[in-house]
mmCIF file of all heavy atoms in Angstrom:
data_model
loop_
_atom_site.group_PDB
_atom_site.id
_atom_site.type_symbol
_atom_site.label_atom_id
_atom_site.label_comp_id
_atom_site.label_asym_id
_atom_site.label_seq_id
_atom_site.Cartn_x
_atom_site.Cartn_y
_atom_site.Cartn_z
ATOM 1 N N MET A 1 -7.099 30.564 25.731
ATOM 2 C CA MET A 1 -5.900 30.026 26.308
ATOM 3 C C MET A 1 -5.688 28.597 25.783
ATOM 4 O O MET A 1 -6.612 27.804 25.706
ATOM 5 C CB MET A 1 -6.039 30.024 27.832
ATOM 6 C CG MET A 1 -4.854 29.402 28.516
ATOM 7 S SD MET A 1 -4.968 29.474 30.311
ATOM 8 C CE MET A 1 -4.092 30.970 30.598
ATOM 9 N N LEU A 2 -4.470 28.279 25.435
ATOM 10 C CA LEU A 2 -4.131 26.951 24.930
ATOM 11 C C LEU A 2 -3.864 25.996 26.091
ATOM 12 O O LEU A 2 -3.373 26.418 27.139
ATOM 13 C CB LEU A 2 -2.893 27.028 24.037
ATOM 14 C CG LEU A 2 -3.054 27.781 22.720
ATOM 15 C CD1 LEU A 2 -1.718 27.893 22.009
ATOM 16 C CD2 LEU A 2 -4.060 27.087 21.836
ATOM 17 N N PRO A 3 -4.130 24.720 25.894
ATOM 18 C CA PRO A 3 -3.824 23.757 26.957
ATOM 19 C C PRO A 3 -2.315 23.614 27.148
ATOM 20 O O PRO A 3 -1.532 23.839 26.222
ATOM 21 C CB PRO A 3 -4.443 22.454 26.460
ATOM 22 C CG PRO A 3 -4.626 22.627 25.004
ATOM 23 C CD PRO A 3 -4.766 24.096 24.756
ATOM 24 N N ALA A 4 -1.899 23.224 28.329
ATOM 25 C CA ALA A 4 -0.474 23.048 28.626
ATOM 26 C C ALA A 4 0.094 21.833 27.899
ATOM 27 O O ALA A 4 1.257 21.826 27.502
ATOM 28 C CB ALA A 4 -0.264 22.908 30.129
ATOM 29 N N THR A 5 -0.719 20.797 27.716
ATOM 30 C CA THR A 5 -0.291 19.611 26.976
ATOM 31 C C THR A 5 -1.399 19.183 26.020
ATOM 32 O O THR A 5 -2.569 19.499 26.245
ATOM 33 C CB THR A 5 0.014 18.425 27.918
ATOM 34 O OG1 THR A 5 -1.163 18.105 28.647
ATOM 35 C CG2 THR A 5 1.142 18.758 28.890
ATOM 36 N N PHE A 6 -1.028 18.533 25.000
ATOM 37 C CA PHE A 6 -1.987 18.020 24.031
ATOM 38 C C PHE A 6 -2.167 16.525 24.252
ATOM 39 O O PHE A 6 -1.242 15.847 24.720
ATOM 40 C CB PHE A 6 -1.508 18.286 22.605
ATOM 41 C CG PHE A 6 -1.514 19.736 22.238
ATOM 42 C CD1 PHE A 6 -0.331 20.466 22.205
ATOM 43 C CD2 PHE A 6 -2.699 20.380 21.949
ATOM 44 C CE1 PHE A 6 -0.347 21.809 21.873
ATOM 45 C CE2 PHE A 6 -2.728 21.727 21.619
ATOM 46 C CZ PHE A 6 -1.541 22.442 21.588
ATOM 47 N N PRO A 7 -3.308 15.969 23.897
ATOM 48 C CA PRO A 7 -3.496 14.524 24.056
ATOM 49 C C PRO A 7 -2.575 13.747 23.115
ATOM 50 O O PRO A 7 -2.174 14.249 22.067
ATOM 51 C CB PRO A 7 -4.956 14.302 23.690
ATOM 52 C CG PRO A 7 -5.371 15.510 22.943
ATOM 53 C CD PRO A 7 -4.479 16.630 23.363
ATOM 54 N N ALA A 8 -2.226 12.549 23.542
ATOM 55 C CA ALA A 8 -1.377 11.701 22.704
ATOM 56 C C ALA A 8 -2.129 11.344 21.425
ATOM 57 O O ALA A 8 -3.336 11.086 21.468
ATOM 58 C CB ALA A 8 -1.005 10.432 23.455
ATOM 59 N N PRO A 9 -1.446 11.344 20.281
ATOM 60 C CA PRO A 9 -2.119 10.981 19.032
ATOM 61 C C PRO A 9 -2.501 9.504 19.029
ATOM 62 O O PRO A 9 -1.846 8.667 19.647
ATOM 63 C CB PRO A 9 -1.070 11.272 17.960
ATOM 64 C CG PRO A 9 0.230 11.227 18.669
ATOM 65 C CD PRO A 9 -0.040 11.654 20.085
ATOM 66 N N ILE A 10 -3.554 9.189 18.318
ATOM 67 C CA ILE A 10 -3.984 7.808 18.144
ATOM 68 C C ILE A 10 -3.520 7.365 16.763
ATOM 69 O O ILE A 10 -4.005 7.865 15.748
ATOM 70 C CB ILE A 10 -5.517 7.688 18.271
ATOM 71 C CG1 ILE A 10 -5.960 8.150 19.654
ATOM 72 C CG2 ILE A 10 -5.957 6.263 17.993
ATOM 73 C CD1 ILE A 10 -7.463 8.275 19.796
ATOM 74 N N VAL A 11 -2.569 6.475 16.748
ATOM 75 C CA VAL A 11 -2.009 5.992 15.485
ATOM 76 C C VAL A 11 -2.356 4.510 15.353
ATOM 77 O O VAL A 11 -1.831 3.679 16.089
ATOM 78 C CB VAL A 11 -0.479 6.190 15.436
ATOM 79 C CG1 VAL A 11 0.084 5.689 14.122
ATOM 80 C CG2 VAL A 11 -0.128 7.648 15.656
ATOM 81 N N PRO A 12 -3.249 4.162 14.413
ATOM 82 C CA PRO A 12 -3.601 2.749 14.259
ATOM 83 C C PRO A 12 -2.436 1.952 13.670
ATOM 84 O O PRO A 12 -1.578 2.495 12.973
ATOM 85 C CB PRO A 12 -4.791 2.770 13.297
ATOM 86 C CG PRO A 12 -4.651 4.048 12.557
ATOM 87 C CD PRO A 12 -3.960 5.011 13.485
ATOM 88 N N ALA A 13 -2.407 0.685 13.956
ATOM 89 C CA ALA A 13 -1.377 -0.189 13.385
ATOM 90 C C ALA A 13 -1.544 -0.238 11.867
ATOM 91 O O ALA A 13 -2.656 -0.245 11.348
ATOM 92 C CB ALA A 13 -1.496 -1.591 13.966
ATOM 93 N N ALA A 14 -0.435 -0.273 11.164
ATOM 94 C CA ALA A 14 -0.468 -0.256 9.698
ATOM 95 C C ALA A 14 -1.194 -1.467 9.129
ATOM 96 O O ALA A 14 -1.822 -1.387 8.077
ATOM 97 C CB ALA A 14 0.945 -0.189 9.142
ATOM 98 N N ASP A 15 -1.124 -2.591 9.818
ATOM 99 C CA ASP A 15 -1.767 -3.795 9.296
ATOM 100 C C ASP A 15 -3.234 -3.922 9.703
ATOM 101 O O ASP A 15 -3.880 -4.911 9.389
ATOM 102 C CB ASP A 15 -0.996 -5.044 9.711
ATOM 103 C CG ASP A 15 -0.916 -5.202 11.224
ATOM 104 O OD1 ASP A 15 -1.324 -4.289 11.957
ATOM 105 O OD2 ASP A 15 -0.428 -6.256 11.661
ATOM 106 N N SER A 16 -3.772 -2.919 10.381
ATOM 107 C CA SER A 16 -5.179 -2.983 10.782
ATOM 108 C C SER A 16 -6.123 -2.539 9.657
ATOM 109 O O SER A 16 -7.310 -2.814 9.703
ATOM 110 C CB SER A 16 -5.428 -2.133 12.022
ATOM 111 O OG SER A 16 -5.263 -0.762 11.727
ATOM 112 N N ALA A 17 -5.591 -1.870 8.647
ATOM 113 C CA ALA A 17 -6.403 -1.437 7.512
ATOM 114 C C ALA A 17 -6.559 -2.597 6.526
ATOM 115 O O ALA A 17 -5.660 -3.432 6.397
ATOM 116 C CB ALA A 17 -5.754 -0.254 6.808
ATOM 117 N N PRO A 18 -7.687 -2.662 5.833
ATOM 118 C CA PRO A 18 -7.838 -3.741 4.846
ATOM 119 C C PRO A 18 -6.877 -3.552 3.675
ATOM 120 O O PRO A 18 -6.485 -2.427 3.357
ATOM 121 C CB PRO A 18 -9.291 -3.596 4.390
ATOM 122 C CG PRO A 18 -9.664 -2.196 4.711
ATOM 123 C CD PRO A 18 -8.856 -1.799 5.904
ATOM 124 N N ALA A 19 -6.494 -4.637 3.070
ATOM 125 C CA ALA A 19 -5.586 -4.581 1.924
ATOM 126 C C ALA A 19 -6.291 -3.950 0.728
ATOM 127 O O ALA A 19 -7.477 -4.170 0.512
ATOM 128 C CB ALA A 19 -5.105 -5.982 1.560
ATOM 129 N N LEU A 20 -5.550 -3.174 -0.034
ATOM 130 C CA LEU A 20 -6.066 -2.627 -1.283
ATOM 131 C C LEU A 20 -5.847 -3.661 -2.380
ATOM 132 O O LEU A 20 -4.879 -4.417 -2.352
ATOM 133 C CB LEU A 20 -5.321 -1.342 -1.658
ATOM 134 C CG LEU A 20 -5.476 -0.164 -0.703
ATOM 135 C CD1 LEU A 20 -4.571 0.978 -1.143
ATOM 136 C CD2 LEU A 20 -6.904 0.289 -0.639
ATOM 137 N N LEU A 21 -6.734 -3.701 -3.330
ATOM 138 C CA LEU A 21 -6.565 -4.579 -4.480
ATOM 139 C C LEU A 21 -6.071 -3.720 -5.640
ATOM 140 O O LEU A 21 -6.741 -2.784 -6.053
ATOM 141 C CB LEU A 21 -7.889 -5.259 -4.833
ATOM 142 C CG LEU A 21 -8.485 -6.133 -3.734
ATOM 143 C CD1 LEU A 21 -9.818 -6.706 -4.190
ATOM 144 C CD2 LEU A 21 -7.538 -7.240 -3.353
ATOM 145 N N TRP A 22 -4.897 -4.023 -6.127
ATOM 146 C CA TRP A 22 -4.273 -3.236 -7.183
ATOM 147 C C TRP A 22 -4.545 -3.869 -8.540
ATOM 148 O O TRP A 22 -4.453 -5.070 -8.706
ATOM 149 C CB TRP A 22 -2.763 -3.195 -6.967
ATOM 150 C CG TRP A 22 -2.330 -2.407 -5.785
ATOM 151 C CD1 TRP A 22 -2.396 -2.789 -4.473
ATOM 152 C CD2 TRP A 22 -1.772 -1.107 -5.794
ATOM 153 N NE1 TRP A 22 -1.910 -1.807 -3.670
ATOM 154 C CE2 TRP A 22 -1.510 -0.757 -4.454
ATOM 155 C CE3 TRP A 22 -1.466 -0.196 -6.788
ATOM 156 C CZ2 TRP A 22 -0.961 0.457 -4.103
ATOM 157 C CZ3 TRP A 22 -0.897 1.011 -6.421
ATOM 158 C CH2 TRP A 22 -0.656 1.333 -5.105
ATOM 159 N N GLY A 23 -4.827 -3.029 -9.520
ATOM 160 C CA GLY A 23 -4.869 -3.438 -10.919
ATOM 161 C C GLY A 23 -3.685 -2.773 -11.600
ATOM 162 O O GLY A 23 -3.608 -1.556 -11.646
ATOM 163 N N ILE A 24 -2.726 -3.538 -12.079
ATOM 164 C CA ILE A 24 -1.478 -2.985 -12.619
ATOM 165 C C ILE A 24 -1.454 -3.202 -14.122
ATOM 166 O O ILE A 24 -1.558 -4.331 -14.596
ATOM 167 C CB ILE A 24 -0.257 -3.680 -11.980
ATOM 168 C CG1 ILE A 24 -0.349 -3.614 -10.459
ATOM 169 C CG2 ILE A 24 1.032 -3.039 -12.473
ATOM 170 C CD1 ILE A 24 0.617 -4.545 -9.759
ATOM 171 N N VAL A 25 -1.305 -2.113 -14.873
ATOM 172 C CA VAL A 25 -1.182 -2.199 -16.325
ATOM 173 C C VAL A 25 0.097 -1.469 -16.716
ATOM 174 O O VAL A 25 0.230 -0.266 -16.495
ATOM 175 C CB VAL A 25 -2.396 -1.553 -17.033
ATOM 176 C CG1 VAL A 25 -2.222 -1.628 -18.543
ATOM 177 C CG2 VAL A 25 -3.684 -2.214 -16.601
ATOM 178 N N ALA A 26 1.060 -2.214 -17.261
ATOM 179 C CA ALA A 26 2.348 -1.643 -17.638
ATOM 180 C C ALA A 26 3.063 -2.641 -18.546
ATOM 181 O O ALA A 26 2.637 -3.785 -18.666
ATOM 182 C CB ALA A 26 3.188 -1.373 -16.388
ATOM 183 N N PRO A 27 4.159 -2.201 -19.179
ATOM 184 C CA PRO A 27 4.954 -3.154 -19.955
ATOM 185 C C PRO A 27 5.468 -4.283 -19.061
ATOM 186 O O PRO A 27 5.624 -4.105 -17.852
ATOM 187 C CB PRO A 27 6.115 -2.308 -20.487
ATOM 188 C CG PRO A 27 5.579 -0.917 -20.511
ATOM 189 C CD PRO A 27 4.646 -0.832 -19.333
ATOM 190 N N GLY A 28 5.728 -5.462 -19.635
ATOM 191 C CA GLY A 28 6.053 -6.677 -18.901
ATOM 192 C C GLY A 28 7.059 -6.557 -17.782
ATOM 193 O O GLY A 28 6.811 -6.979 -16.661
ATOM 194 N N GLY A 29 8.231 -5.977 -18.054
ATOM 195 C CA GLY A 29 9.266 -5.865 -17.028
ATOM 196 C C GLY A 29 8.861 -4.949 -15.893
ATOM 197 O O GLY A 29 9.143 -5.222 -14.723
ATOM 198 N N ILE A 30 8.169 -3.879 -16.220
ATOM 199 C CA ILE A 30 7.750 -2.914 -15.208
ATOM 200 C C ILE A 30 6.676 -3.510 -14.308
ATOM 201 O O ILE A 30 6.727 -3.379 -13.084
ATOM 202 C CB ILE A 30 7.258 -1.607 -15.857
ATOM 203 C CG1 ILE A 30 8.417 -0.914 -16.572
ATOM 204 C CG2 ILE A 30 6.633 -0.683 -14.821
ATOM 205 C CD1 ILE A 30 8.008 0.275 -17.405
ATOM 206 N N VAL A 31 5.694 -4.196 -14.898
ATOM 207 C CA VAL A 31 4.624 -4.776 -14.085
ATOM 208 C C VAL A 31 5.188 -5.857 -13.160
ATOM 209 O O VAL A 31 4.777 -5.972 -12.006
ATOM 210 C CB VAL A 31 3.461 -5.304 -14.952
ATOM 211 C CG1 VAL A 31 3.806 -6.593 -15.655
ATOM 212 C CG2 VAL A 31 2.210 -5.501 -14.129
ATOM 213 N N THR A 32 6.143 -6.619 -13.614
ATOM 214 C CA THR A 32 6.761 -7.646 -12.777
ATOM 215 C C THR A 32 7.516 -7.014 -11.620
ATOM 216 O O THR A 32 7.360 -7.426 -10.470
ATOM 217 C CB THR A 32 7.712 -8.522 -13.618
ATOM 218 O OG1 THR A 32 6.981 -9.101 -14.685
ATOM 219 C CG2 THR A 32 8.357 -9.607 -12.778
ATOM 220 N N THR A 33 8.323 -5.999 -11.900
ATOM 221 C CA THR A 33 9.092 -5.317 -10.861
ATOM 222 C C THR A 33 8.175 -4.654 -9.844
ATOM 223 O O THR A 33 8.401 -4.753 -8.633
ATOM 224 C CB THR A 33 10.023 -4.263 -11.496
ATOM 225 O OG1 THR A 33 10.870 -4.914 -12.436
ATOM 226 C CG2 THR A 33 10.862 -3.569 -10.445
ATOM 227 N N PHE A 34 7.132 -3.993 -10.318
ATOM 228 C CA PHE A 34 6.196 -3.321 -9.413
ATOM 229 C C PHE A 34 5.475 -4.328 -8.530
ATOM 230 O O PHE A 34 5.350 -4.132 -7.323
ATOM 231 C CB PHE A 34 5.189 -2.485 -10.201
ATOM 232 C CG PHE A 34 4.275 -1.680 -9.325
ATOM 233 C CD1 PHE A 34 4.674 -0.459 -8.832
ATOM 234 C CD2 PHE A 34 3.021 -2.166 -8.980
ATOM 235 C CE1 PHE A 34 3.833 0.286 -8.010
ATOM 236 C CE2 PHE A 34 2.177 -1.430 -8.167
ATOM 237 C CZ PHE A 34 2.588 -0.198 -7.676
ATOM 238 N N ALA A 35 5.013 -5.424 -9.111
ATOM 239 C CA ALA A 35 4.298 -6.445 -8.336
ATOM 240 C C ALA A 35 5.218 -7.079 -7.293
ATOM 241 O O ALA A 35 4.805 -7.318 -6.162
ATOM 242 C CB ALA A 35 3.722 -7.511 -9.266
ATOM 243 N N GLU A 36 6.461 -7.334 -7.641
ATOM 244 C CA GLU A 36 7.413 -7.893 -6.681
ATOM 245 C C GLU A 36 7.664 -6.916 -5.529
ATOM 246 O O GLU A 36 7.723 -7.320 -4.370
ATOM 247 C CB GLU A 36 8.730 -8.249 -7.373
ATOM 248 C CG GLU A 36 8.630 -9.459 -8.271
ATOM 249 C CD GLU A 36 9.867 -9.685 -9.120
ATOM 250 O OE1 GLU A 36 10.788 -8.829 -9.111
ATOM 251 O OE2 GLU A 36 9.916 -10.715 -9.812
ATOM 252 N N ALA A 37 7.816 -5.631 -5.850
ATOM 253 C CA ALA A 37 8.024 -4.622 -4.808
ATOM 254 C C ALA A 37 6.783 -4.498 -3.924
ATOM 255 O O ALA A 37 6.891 -4.321 -2.703
ATOM 256 C CB ALA A 37 8.362 -3.273 -5.440
ATOM 257 N N LEU A 38 5.621 -4.592 -4.522
ATOM 258 C CA LEU A 38 4.359 -4.515 -3.784
ATOM 259 C C LEU A 38 4.294 -5.630 -2.740
ATOM 260 O O LEU A 38 3.963 -5.394 -1.587
ATOM 261 C CB LEU A 38 3.197 -4.635 -4.771
ATOM 262 C CG LEU A 38 1.811 -4.282 -4.282
ATOM 263 C CD1 LEU A 38 1.714 -2.793 -4.001
ATOM 264 C CD2 LEU A 38 0.778 -4.670 -5.324
ATOM 265 N N HIS A 39 4.664 -6.837 -3.124
ATOM 266 C CA HIS A 39 4.622 -7.977 -2.215
ATOM 267 C C HIS A 39 5.742 -7.913 -1.176
ATOM 268 O O HIS A 39 5.565 -8.356 -0.046
ATOM 269 C CB HIS A 39 4.723 -9.293 -2.976
ATOM 270 C CG HIS A 39 3.518 -9.584 -3.806
ATOM 271 N ND1 HIS A 39 2.345 -10.038 -3.277
ATOM 272 C CD2 HIS A 39 3.307 -9.465 -5.142
ATOM 273 C CE1 HIS A 39 1.461 -10.192 -4.239
ATOM 274 N NE2 HIS A 39 2.018 -9.850 -5.381
ATOM 275 N N ALA A 40 6.902 -7.375 -1.557
ATOM 276 C CA ALA A 40 8.057 -7.369 -0.661
ATOM 277 C C ALA A 40 7.933 -6.341 0.461
ATOM 278 O O ALA A 40 8.458 -6.554 1.547
ATOM 279 C CB ALA A 40 9.329 -7.096 -1.462
ATOM 280 N N HIS A 41 7.238 -5.225 0.199
ATOM 281 C CA HIS A 41 7.281 -4.121 1.155
ATOM 282 C C HIS A 41 5.983 -3.834 1.886
ATOM 283 O O HIS A 41 6.009 -3.211 2.944
ATOM 284 C CB HIS A 41 7.759 -2.845 0.451
ATOM 285 C CG HIS A 41 9.138 -2.991 -0.122
ATOM 286 N ND1 HIS A 41 10.264 -3.076 0.666
ATOM 287 C CD2 HIS A 41 9.571 -3.108 -1.391
ATOM 288 C CE1 HIS A 41 11.330 -3.223 -0.093
ATOM 289 N NE2 HIS A 41 10.936 -3.252 -1.350
ATOM 290 N N ILE A 42 4.868 -4.236 1.356
ATOM 291 C CA ILE A 42 3.594 -3.956 2.013
ATOM 292 C C ILE A 42 2.662 -5.145 1.867
ATOM 293 O O ILE A 42 2.860 -5.998 1.005
ATOM 294 C CB ILE A 42 2.922 -2.671 1.453
ATOM 295 C CG1 ILE A 42 2.716 -2.760 -0.054
ATOM 296 C CG2 ILE A 42 3.702 -1.440 1.821
ATOM 297 C CD1 ILE A 42 2.001 -1.580 -0.647
ATOM 298 N N GLU A 43 1.653 -5.197 2.694
ATOM 299 C CA GLU A 43 0.692 -6.308 2.668
ATOM 300 C C GLU A 43 -0.491 -5.957 1.763
ATOM 301 O O GLU A 43 -1.612 -5.844 2.215
ATOM 302 C CB GLU A 43 0.200 -6.607 4.086
ATOM 303 C CG GLU A 43 1.273 -7.103 5.018
ATOM 304 C CD GLU A 43 1.819 -8.459 4.597
ATOM 305 O OE1 GLU A 43 1.035 -9.297 4.114
ATOM 306 O OE2 GLU A 43 3.028 -8.664 4.751
ATOM 307 N N GLN A 44 -0.223 -5.775 0.491
ATOM 308 C CA GLN A 44 -1.261 -5.460 -0.473
ATOM 309 C C GLN A 44 -1.336 -6.597 -1.482
ATOM 310 O O GLN A 44 -0.467 -7.447 -1.545
ATOM 311 C CB GLN A 44 -0.987 -4.129 -1.172
ATOM 312 C CG GLN A 44 -0.831 -2.962 -0.222
ATOM 313 C CD GLN A 44 -2.104 -2.655 0.537
ATOM 314 O OE1 GLN A 44 -3.201 -2.840 0.043
ATOM 315 N NE2 GLN A 44 -1.961 -2.185 1.762
ATOM 316 N N LYS A 45 -2.375 -6.590 -2.288
ATOM 317 C CA LYS A 45 -2.585 -7.671 -3.250
ATOM 318 C C LYS A 45 -2.696 -7.111 -4.657
ATOM 319 O O LYS A 45 -3.350 -6.112 -4.879
ATOM 320 C CB LYS A 45 -3.869 -8.434 -2.905
ATOM 321 C CG LYS A 45 -3.845 -9.033 -1.522
ATOM 322 C CD LYS A 45 -5.170 -9.647 -1.189
ATOM 323 C CE LYS A 45 -5.122 -10.179 0.231
ATOM 324 N NZ LYS A 45 -6.397 -10.635 0.703
ATOM 325 N N ASP A 46 -2.051 -7.779 -5.600
ATOM 326 C CA ASP A 46 -2.234 -7.395 -7.008
ATOM 327 C C ASP A 46 -3.237 -8.369 -7.605
ATOM 328 O O ASP A 46 -3.010 -9.561 -7.690
ATOM 329 C CB ASP A 46 -0.917 -7.382 -7.778
ATOM 330 C CG ASP A 46 -0.183 -8.708 -7.741
ATOM 331 O OD1 ASP A 46 -0.247 -9.357 -6.702
ATOM 332 O OD2 ASP A 46 0.423 -9.070 -8.756
ATOM 333 N N GLU A 47 -4.389 -7.858 -7.967
ATOM 334 C CA GLU A 47 -5.459 -8.689 -8.517
ATOM 335 C C GLU A 47 -5.267 -8.961 -9.995
ATOM 336 O O GLU A 47 -5.470 -10.053 -10.452
ATOM 337 C CB GLU A 47 -6.821 -7.991 -8.311
ATOM 338 C CG GLU A 47 -7.423 -8.178 -6.956
ATOM 339 C CD GLU A 47 -7.699 -9.635 -6.617
ATOM 340 O OE1 GLU A 47 -8.476 -10.288 -7.336
ATOM 341 O OE2 GLU A 47 -7.159 -10.121 -5.627
ATOM 342 N N VAL A 48 -4.926 -7.919 -10.746
ATOM 343 C CA VAL A 48 -4.900 -8.057 -12.202
ATOM 344 C C VAL A 48 -3.630 -7.436 -12.776
ATOM 345 O O VAL A 48 -3.657 -6.320 -13.273
ATOM 346 C CB VAL A 48 -6.130 -7.373 -12.837
ATOM 347 C CG1 VAL A 48 -6.192 -7.656 -14.329
ATOM 348 C CG2 VAL A 48 -7.413 -7.807 -12.170
ATOM 349 N N PRO A 49 -2.475 -8.102 -12.680
ATOM 350 C CA PRO A 49 -1.312 -7.565 -13.389
ATOM 351 C C PRO A 49 -1.471 -7.841 -14.883
ATOM 352 O O PRO A 49 -1.780 -8.967 -15.280
ATOM 353 C CB PRO A 49 -0.142 -8.316 -12.789
ATOM 354 C CG PRO A 49 -0.712 -9.515 -12.143
ATOM 355 C CD PRO A 49 -2.166 -9.254 -11.882
ATOM 356 N N ALA A 50 -1.348 -6.832 -15.715
ATOM 357 C CA ALA A 50 -1.528 -7.000 -17.149
ATOM 358 C C ALA A 50 -0.372 -6.335 -17.888
ATOM 359 O O ALA A 50 0.128 -5.305 -17.470
ATOM 360 C CB ALA A 50 -2.845 -6.367 -17.590
ATOM 361 N N HIS A 51 0.042 -6.957 -18.975
ATOM 362 C CA HIS A 51 1.089 -6.370 -19.809
ATOM 363 C C HIS A 51 0.876 -6.790 -21.247
ATOM 364 O O HIS A 51 0.080 -7.658 -21.550
ATOM 365 C CB HIS A 51 2.485 -6.774 -19.298
ATOM 366 C CG HIS A 51 2.691 -8.270 -19.268
ATOM 367 N ND1 HIS A 51 3.134 -8.958 -20.344
ATOM 368 C CD2 HIS A 51 2.509 -9.170 -18.278
ATOM 369 C CE1 HIS A 51 3.218 -10.238 -20.026
ATOM 370 N NE2 HIS A 51 2.844 -10.392 -18.788
ATOM 371 N N ARG A 52 1.605 -6.113 -22.129
ATOM 372 C CA ARG A 52 1.512 -6.431 -23.550
ATOM 373 C C ARG A 52 2.717 -7.189 -23.990
ATOM 374 O O ARG A 52 3.757 -7.085 -23.490
ATOM 375 C CB ARG A 52 1.436 -5.150 -24.373
ATOM 376 C CG ARG A 52 0.192 -4.430 -24.171
ATOM 377 C CD ARG A 52 0.081 -3.155 -24.945
ATOM 378 N NE ARG A 52 1.016 -3.068 -26.051
ATOM 379 C CZ ARG A 52 0.868 -2.312 -27.090
ATOM 380 N NH1 ARG A 52 -0.168 -1.552 -27.198
ATOM 381 N NH2 ARG A 52 1.748 -2.264 -28.047
#
């Protein structure tokens, strides 16, 4: 028999997880755009942006 109700889900806060360190390798314009978007939308860090 299934329960009548299920327990409430436990959803941790998005900022409770540690930041990921990104290594970005792409052509100059792409790496700049990606790094800017990374900083604008999420709390992550770009450690090594590289381009040719």
Side-chain angles (χ1 to χ4, degrees):
M1 177 177 267
L2 293 174
T5 60
F6 292 103
I10 299 171
V11 180
D15 60 352
S16 67
L20 296 174
L21 300 178
W22 291 77
I24 306 166
V25 179
I30 295 172
V31 74
T32 302
T33 303
F34 185 83
E36 288 171 354
L38 193 68
H39 291 283
H41 299 290
I42 57 177
E43 295 295 323
Q44 303 295 328
K45 301 174 183 173
D46 57 324
E47 278 299 300
V48 187
H51 59 87
R52 292 179 18 158

